[in-house]
Amino acid sequence: IIKIGSWETIRQGNHICILAVGSMVGMIDNNYDQIIYQTNVGFTLINARFIKPLDTDMLEEISKIYDYVITIEEGTLNGGFGAAVLEWAADNNKNFKVIRMGIPDKFIEHGSRNELLDEMDLTPRGVIAKIREEIPVAEKV
């Protein structure tokens, strides 16, 4: 039985934490080794299987361990999951940096799902680029 509002740790790492929602969980999990290899950043992957309510117990634990949290969702950034995590961190005076990945608030052209995910950088390549851009210890190759 899954407790309502509970998240699940899929992979354990030591540099950063990635909170993934929906289809992004599998995409990150399936490319876990590649992402680590290309960034030199180990990360914990959490399946944020409930967006509301947030798993505040897990967020509290994350805030004690990680300086960087990446949220990734196949949904809008404005008012989305990442925004809720950012708001929780601000409201609770947490010092970790929240890096949000998702769909920006702009008109998106029509295309196949894969084309659109690629355009929004919601791909392994996009995650690698975001880690290299935002995380100081990441390989910049």
Side-chain angles (χ1 to χ4, degrees):
I1 296 176
I2 297 173
K3 180 183 169 206
I4 292 175
S6 67
W7 296 346
E8 171 188 28
T9 302
I10 304 292
R11 304 267 194 151
Q12 192 69 48
N14 56 358
H15 289 114
I16 65 173
C17 181
I18 296 180
L19 303 176
V21 175
S23 65
M24 297 292 102
V25 177
M27 184 272 292
I28 300 286
D29 190 33
N30 292 339
N31 295 281
Y32 187 82
D33 294 332
Q34 174 192 359
I35 295 167
I36 291 174
Y37 178 75
Q38 293 198 17
T39 62
N40 201 33
V41 172
F43 62 90
T44 293
L45 171 61
I46 293 177
N47 176 5
R49 57 191 173 195
F50 290 92
I51 296 172
K52 291 188 184 230
L54 292 177
D55 188 339
T56 56
D57 290 339
M58 188 169 279
L59 280 171
E60 196 65 51
E61 289 304 309
I62 289 167
S63 74
K64 295 174 185 172
I65 300 169
Y66 302 100
D67 293 328
Y68 297 91
V69 172
I70 296 175
T71 64
I72 184 165
E73 59 191 300
E74 195 177 331
T76 185
L77 291 170
N78 290 7
F81 171 70
V85 171
L86 193 58
E87 186 176 293
W88 179 88
D91 289 350
N92 291 279
N93 298 312
K94 301 304 177 185
N95 292 324
F96 59 82
K97 180 177 181 182
V98 178
I99 301 158
R100 299 177 305 137
M101 297 182 71
I103 300 172
D105 188 25
K106 67 177 190 176
F107 181 77
I108 309 295
E109 293 289 334
H110 291 277
S112 71
R113 179 175 178 270
N114 287 339
E115 289 169 335
L116 297 176
L117 290 175
D118 190 50
E119 181 182 334
M120 301 296 113
D121 289 329
L122 297 175
T123 62
R125 182 180 36 80
V127 172
I128 290 164
K130 184 61 80 174
I131 290 172
R132 286 179 179 165
E133 175 186 320
E134 299 280 353
I135 310 300
V137 297
E139 291 290 322
K140 307 292 189 215
V141 291

